[in-house]
Coordinates of all heavy atoms in Angstrom, one line a residue:
M1 N -23.6 71.6 205.6 CA -23.0 71.1 204.4 C -23.3 69.6 204.2 O -23.3 68.8 205.2 CB -21.4 71.2 204.6 CG -20.7 70.9 203.3 SD -20.7 72.4 202.2 CE -19.7 71.7 200.9
S2 N -23.7 69.3 203.0 CA -24.1 67.9 202.8 C -22.9 66.9 202.6 O -21.9 67.3 202.1 CB -24.9 67.9 201.5 OG -25.2 66.5 201.1
D3 N -23.1 65.7 203.2 CA -22.0 64.7 203.0 C -22.3 63.8 201.8 O -21.6 62.8 201.6 CB -21.9 63.9 204.3 CG -21.3 64.7 205.5 OD1 -20.6 65.6 205.2 OD2 -21.6 64.3 206.6
A4 N -23.4 64.1 201.1 CA -23.8 63.2 199.9 C -22.7 63.4 198.9 O -22.1 64.4 198.7 CB -25.1 63.7 199.4
P5 N -22.5 62.3 198.1 CA -21.5 62.3 197.0 C -21.9 63.4 196.0 O -23.1 63.7 195.8 CB -21.6 61.0 196.4 CG -22.3 60.1 197.3 CD -23.1 61.0 198.2
F6 N -20.9 64.0 195.4 CA -21.1 65.0 194.3 C -21.7 64.3 193.2 O -21.3 63.1 192.9 CB -19.8 65.8 194.0 CG -19.4 66.8 195.1 CD1 -18.3 66.6 195.8 CD2 -20.2 67.8 195.3 CE1 -17.9 67.5 196.7 CE2 -19.8 68.8 196.3 CZ -18.7 68.7 197.0
K7 N -22.5 64.9 192.4 CA -23.1 64.4 191.2 C -22.6 65.2 190.0 O -22.2 66.2 190.1 CB -24.6 64.4 191.3 CG -25.1 63.4 192.5 CD -26.6 63.4 192.5 CE -27.1 62.3 193.4 NZ -26.9 62.5 194.8
V8 N -22.9 64.6 188.8 CA -22.6 65.2 187.5 C -23.9 65.3 186.8 O -24.7 64.3 186.7 CB -21.6 64.4 186.7 CG1 -21.3 65.0 185.4 CG2 -20.2 64.3 187.5
W9 N -24.1 66.5 186.2 CA -25.4 66.7 185.4 C -25.0 67.0 183.9 O -24.0 67.7 183.7 CB -26.2 67.9 186.0 CG -26.6 67.6 187.4 CD1 -25.8 67.6 188.5 CD2 -27.9 67.1 187.8 NE1 -26.6 67.2 189.6 CE2 -27.8 66.9 189.2 CE3 -29.0 66.7 187.1 CZ2 -28.9 66.4 189.9 CZ3 -30.1 66.3 187.8 CH2 -30.0 66.1 189.2
Q10 N -25.8 66.4 183.0 CA -25.5 66.6 181.6 C -26.6 67.2 180.8 O -27.8 66.9 181.0 CB -25.2 65.1 181.0 CG -24.8 65.2 179.5 CD -24.3 63.9 179.0 OE1 -24.8 62.8 179.4 NE2 -23.5 63.9 178.1
C11 N -26.2 68.2 180.0 CA -27.1 68.9 179.1 C -27.6 67.8 178.1 O -26.8 67.2 177.4 CB -26.4 70.0 178.4 SG -27.5 70.9 177.2
R12 N -29.0 67.8 177.9 CA -29.5 66.9 176.9 C -29.3 67.3 175.5 O -29.2 66.5 174.5 CB -31.1 66.8 177.1 CG -31.5 66.1 178.3 CD -33.0 66.0 178.3 NE -33.5 65.9 179.7 CZ -34.7 66.3 180.1 NH1 -35.6 66.7 179.2 NH2 -35.1 66.1 181.3
T13 N -29.0 68.6 175.3 CA -28.9 69.2 174.0 C -27.4 69.0 173.4 O -27.2 68.5 172.3 CB -29.2 70.6 173.9 OG1 -30.6 70.7 174.4 CG2 -29.1 71.2 172.5
C14 N -26.4 69.4 174.2 CA -25.0 69.5 173.7 C -24.1 68.6 174.4 O -23.0 68.4 174.0 CB -24.5 70.9 173.7 SG -24.0 71.5 175.4
G15 N -24.5 67.9 175.6 CA -23.6 67.0 176.3 C -22.7 67.7 177.3 O -21.9 67.0 178.0
Y16 N -22.8 69.0 177.5 CA -22.1 69.7 178.5 C -22.3 69.0 179.8 O -23.4 68.7 180.2 CB -22.5 71.2 178.5 CG -22.1 71.9 179.8 CD1 -20.8 72.5 179.8 CD2 -22.8 72.1 180.9 CE1 -20.3 73.2 180.9 CE2 -22.5 72.8 182.1 CZ -21.2 73.4 182.0 OH -20.7 74.1 183.2
L17 N -21.2 68.8 180.6 CA -21.2 68.3 181.9 C -21.0 69.3 183.0 O -20.0 70.0 183.0 CB -20.2 67.1 182.0 CG -20.4 65.9 181.1 CD1 -19.2 64.9 181.3 CD2 -21.7 65.2 181.5
Y18 N -21.9 69.3 184.0 CA -21.6 70.1 185.2 C -21.3 69.2 186.3 O -22.2 68.4 186.7 CB -22.9 71.0 185.5 CG -22.6 71.7 186.8 CD1 -21.8 72.8 186.9 CD2 -23.2 71.3 188.0 CE1 -21.5 73.4 188.0 CE2 -22.8 71.9 189.2 CZ -22.0 73.0 189.2 OH -21.7 73.5 190.4
D19 N -20.1 69.3 186.8 CA -19.7 68.4 187.9 C -19.8 69.2 189.2 O -19.0 70.2 189.3 CB -18.3 67.9 187.6 CG -17.7 67.0 188.6 OD1 -18.1 67.0 189.9 OD2 -16.9 66.2 188.3
E20 N -20.5 68.8 190.1 CA -20.7 69.5 191.4 C -19.4 69.8 192.1 O -19.1 70.8 192.7 CB -21.7 68.8 192.3 CG -23.1 68.8 191.8 CD -24.0 68.1 192.8 OE1 -23.6 67.2 193.5 OE2 -25.3 68.4 192.7
A21 N -18.5 68.7 192.1 CA -17.2 68.8 192.7 C -16.3 69.9 192.2 O -15.6 70.6 192.9 CB -16.5 67.5 192.7
E22 N -16.4 70.1 190.8 CA -15.5 71.0 190.2 C -16.2 72.4 190.0 O -15.5 73.4 189.8 CB -15.1 70.5 188.8 CG -14.3 69.3 188.8 CD -14.0 68.7 187.5 OE1 -14.2 69.3 186.5 OE2 -13.4 67.5 187.4
G23 N -17.5 72.4 190.0 CA -18.2 73.7 189.7 C -17.9 74.2 188.3 O -17.5 73.4 187.4
D24 N -18.1 75.4 188.0 CA -17.8 76.0 186.7 C -17.4 77.4 187.0 O -18.2 78.4 186.9 CB -19.0 76.0 185.8 CG -18.5 76.3 184.4 OD1 -17.5 77.0 184.2 OD2 -19.2 76.0 183.4
P25 N -16.2 77.7 187.5 CA -15.7 79.0 187.9 C -15.9 80.1 186.8 O -16.3 81.2 187.2 CB -14.3 78.9 188.2 CG -14.1 77.4 188.6 CD -15.1 76.6 187.8
D26 N -15.9 79.7 185.6 CA -16.1 80.6 184.5 C -17.5 81.2 184.5 O -17.7 82.3 183.9 CB -15.7 80.0 183.1 CG -14.2 79.8 183.0 OD1 -13.4 80.4 183.7 OD2 -13.8 79.0 182.1
E27 N -18.4 80.4 185.0 CA -19.8 80.7 185.1 C -20.2 81.3 186.5 O -21.4 81.5 186.8 CB -20.7 79.5 184.7 CG -20.6 79.1 183.3 CD -21.1 80.1 182.3 OE1 -22.2 80.7 182.5 OE2 -20.3 80.5 181.4
G28 N -19.2 81.4 187.3 CA -19.5 82.0 188.6 C -20.0 80.9 189.7 O -20.6 81.2 190.7
L29 N -19.7 79.6 189.3 CA -20.1 78.5 190.2 C -18.9 77.9 190.8 O -18.1 77.2 190.1 CB -20.9 77.5 189.4 CG -22.2 78.0 188.7 CD1 -22.7 76.9 187.7 CD2 -23.2 78.4 189.7
A30 N -18.7 78.2 192.1 CA -17.6 77.7 192.9 C -17.6 76.2 192.9 O -18.6 75.5 192.9 CB -17.5 78.3 194.2
P31 N -16.3 75.6 193.0 CA -16.3 74.1 193.3 C -17.1 73.7 194.5 O -17.1 74.5 195.5 CB -14.8 73.9 193.5 CG -14.1 74.9 192.7 CD -15.0 76.1 192.9
G32 N -17.9 72.7 194.4 CA -18.7 72.2 195.5 C -20.1 72.8 195.4 O -20.9 72.5 196.3
T33 N -20.4 73.6 194.4 CA -21.8 74.1 194.2 C -22.7 73.0 193.8 O -22.5 72.4 192.7 CB -21.8 75.3 193.2 OG1 -20.9 76.3 193.6 CG2 -23.2 75.8 193.1
R34 N -23.7 72.7 194.6 CA -24.7 71.6 194.4 C -25.6 72.1 193.3 O -25.9 73.3 193.1 CB -25.5 71.3 195.6 CG -24.6 70.7 196.7 CD -24.1 69.3 196.4 NE -23.4 68.8 197.6 CZ -23.0 67.5 197.6 NH1 -23.2 66.7 196.6 NH2 -22.3 67.1 198.6
W35 N -26.1 71.1 192.5 CA -27.1 71.4 191.4 C -28.3 72.2 192.0 O -28.8 73.0 191.4 CB -27.5 70.1 190.8 CG -28.4 70.2 189.6 CD1 -29.7 69.9 189.5 CD2 -28.0 70.7 188.4 NE1 -30.1 70.2 188.2 CE2 -29.1 70.7 187.5 CE3 -26.8 71.3 187.8 CZ2 -29.1 71.1 186.2 CZ3 -26.8 71.7 186.5 CH2 -27.9 71.6 185.7
T36 N -28.8 71.8 193.2 CA -30.0 72.4 193.8 C -29.7 73.8 194.1 O -30.7 74.6 194.3 CB -30.4 71.6 195.0 OG1 -29.3 71.5 195.9 CG2 -30.9 70.2 194.6
D37 N -28.4 74.2 194.3 CA -28.1 75.6 194.6 C -27.9 76.5 193.5 O -27.7 77.8 193.6 CB -26.8 75.6 195.5 CG -27.0 74.9 196.8 OD1 -28.1 74.9 197.4 OD2 -26.0 74.3 197.3
I38 N -28.0 75.9 192.2 CA -27.9 76.7 191.0 C -29.3 77.3 190.7 O -30.2 76.6 190.8 CB -27.3 75.9 189.9 CG1 -26.0 75.4 190.2 CG2 -27.4 76.7 188.5 CD1 -25.4 74.4 189.1
P39 N -29.4 78.6 190.4 CA -30.7 79.2 190.1 C -31.5 78.5 189.0 O -30.8 78.0 188.1 CB -30.4 80.6 189.7 CG -28.9 80.9 190.2 CD -28.3 79.6 190.3
A40 N -32.8 78.4 189.1 CA -33.6 77.7 188.2 C -33.6 78.4 186.8 O -33.8 77.6 185.8 CB -35.0 77.8 188.7
D41 N -33.2 79.6 186.7 CA -33.1 80.2 185.4 C -31.7 80.2 184.7 O -31.5 80.7 183.7 CB -33.5 81.7 185.5 CG -32.6 82.6 186.4 OD1 -31.8 82.0 187.1 OD2 -32.9 83.8 186.5
W42 N -30.8 79.4 185.4 CA -29.5 79.1 184.8 C -29.7 78.4 183.5 O -30.5 77.6 183.3 CB -28.7 78.3 185.9 CG -27.3 78.0 185.4 CD1 -26.2 78.9 185.5 CD2 -26.8 76.8 184.8 NE1 -25.1 78.2 185.0 CE2 -25.4 77.0 184.6 CE3 -27.4 75.6 184.4 CZ2 -24.6 76.0 184.0 CZ3 -26.6 74.6 183.8 CH2 -25.2 74.8 183.6
I43 N -28.7 78.7 182.5 CA -28.8 78.0 181.2 C -27.3 77.4 181.0 O -26.4 77.9 181.5 CB -29.2 78.9 180.1 CG1 -28.3 80.1 180.0 CG2 -30.7 79.3 180.3 CD1 -28.5 80.9 178.7
C44 N -27.4 76.4 180.1 CA -26.1 75.8 179.7 C -25.2 76.8 179.1 O -25.6 77.6 178.2 CB -26.4 74.7 178.7 SG -24.9 73.9 178.0
P45 N -24.0 77.0 179.5 CA -23.0 77.9 179.0 C -22.6 77.7 177.6 O -22.1 78.6 176.9 CB -21.8 77.9 179.9 CG -21.9 76.6 180.6 CD -23.3 76.2 180.6
L46 N -22.8 76.5 177.1 CA -22.4 76.1 175.7 C -23.5 76.4 174.7 O -23.3 76.8 173.6 CB -21.9 74.7 175.6 CG -20.6 74.4 176.4 CD1 -20.2 72.9 176.2 CD2 -19.5 75.3 176.2
C47 N -24.8 76.0 175.1 CA -25.8 76.1 174.1 C -27.1 76.8 174.5 O -28.0 76.9 173.7 CB -26.1 74.6 173.6 SG -27.0 73.7 174.8
G48 N -27.2 77.2 175.7 CA -28.3 77.9 176.2 C -29.5 77.1 176.6 O -30.6 77.7 176.9
T49 N -29.4 75.8 176.7 CA -30.5 75.0 177.1 C -30.7 75.2 178.6 O -29.9 75.4 179.5 CB -30.0 73.4 177.0 OG1 -29.9 73.2 175.5 CG2 -31.1 72.5 177.6
P50 N -32.0 75.3 179.0 CA -32.4 75.6 180.4 C -32.0 74.4 181.3 O -31.9 73.3 180.9 CB -33.9 75.7 180.4 CG -34.4 75.2 179.1 CD -33.3 75.2 178.2
K51 N -31.8 74.8 182.6 CA -31.4 73.8 183.6 C -32.4 72.7 183.7 O -31.9 71.5 184.0 CB -31.3 74.6 185.0 CG -31.0 73.7 186.2 CD -31.0 74.5 187.4 CE -30.8 73.6 188.6 NZ -31.0 74.2 189.9
S52 N -33.6 72.9 183.5 CA -34.6 71.9 183.5 C -34.4 70.7 182.5 O -34.9 69.7 182.6 CB -36.0 72.4 183.3 OG -36.1 73.1 182.2
D53 N -33.6 71.0 181.5 CA -33.3 70.0 180.5 C -31.9 69.3 180.6 O -31.3 68.9 179.7 CB -33.4 70.6 179.1 CG -34.8 70.9 178.7 OD1 -35.8 70.4 179.3 OD2 -35.1 71.6 177.6
F54 N -31.5 69.2 181.9 CA -30.3 68.5 182.2 C -30.7 67.2 182.9 O -31.7 67.1 183.6 CB -29.4 69.3 183.2 CG -28.5 70.3 182.5 CD1 -29.0 71.3 181.8 CD2 -27.1 70.2 182.5 CE1 -28.2 72.3 181.2 CE2 -26.3 71.1 181.9 CZ -26.8 72.1 181.3
D55 N -29.9 66.2 182.8 CA -30.2 64.9 183.5 C -28.9 64.6 184.3 O -27.8 64.9 183.9 CB -30.4 63.8 182.5 CG -31.6 63.9 181.7 OD1 -32.7 64.2 182.2 OD2 -31.6 63.8 180.4
M56 N -29.2 63.8 185.4 CA -28.0 63.4 186.2 C -27.3 62.3 185.4 O -28.0 61.4 184.8 CB -28.5 62.8 187.6 CG -27.3 62.6 188.5 SD -27.8 62.1 190.2 CE -28.9 60.8 189.9
A57 N -26.0 62.4 185.3 CA -25.2 61.5 184.5 C -24.6 60.4 185.4 O -24.1 60.8 186.5 CB -24.1 62.3 183.8
E58 N -24.6 59.2 185.1 CA -24.0 58.1 185.8 C -22.6 57.9 185.1 O -22.6 57.5 183.9 CB -24.9 56.8 185.7 CG -26.2 57.0 186.4 CD -26.1 57.1 187.9 OE1 -25.1 56.7 188.5 OE2 -27.1 57.6 188.5
L59 N -21.6 58.3 185.8 CA -20.3 58.1 185.2 C -19.5 56.9 185.7 O -19.7 56.6 186.8 CB -19.4 59.4 185.4 CG -20.0 60.7 184.8 CD1 -19.1 61.9 185.1 CD2 -20.2 60.6 183.3

């Protein structure tokens, strides 16, 4: 288990935020799921943008 701080990733298209600490249980991503552990073919649940078009957000 990584001790690195959790990060937040933002969809460039719609602004959806994926917070590693919170996960997205509605999408099957448990709290604590790291961005690197999400499959490469995952898409934004709001707009369908691919994972590759997300940026790490500085909050």
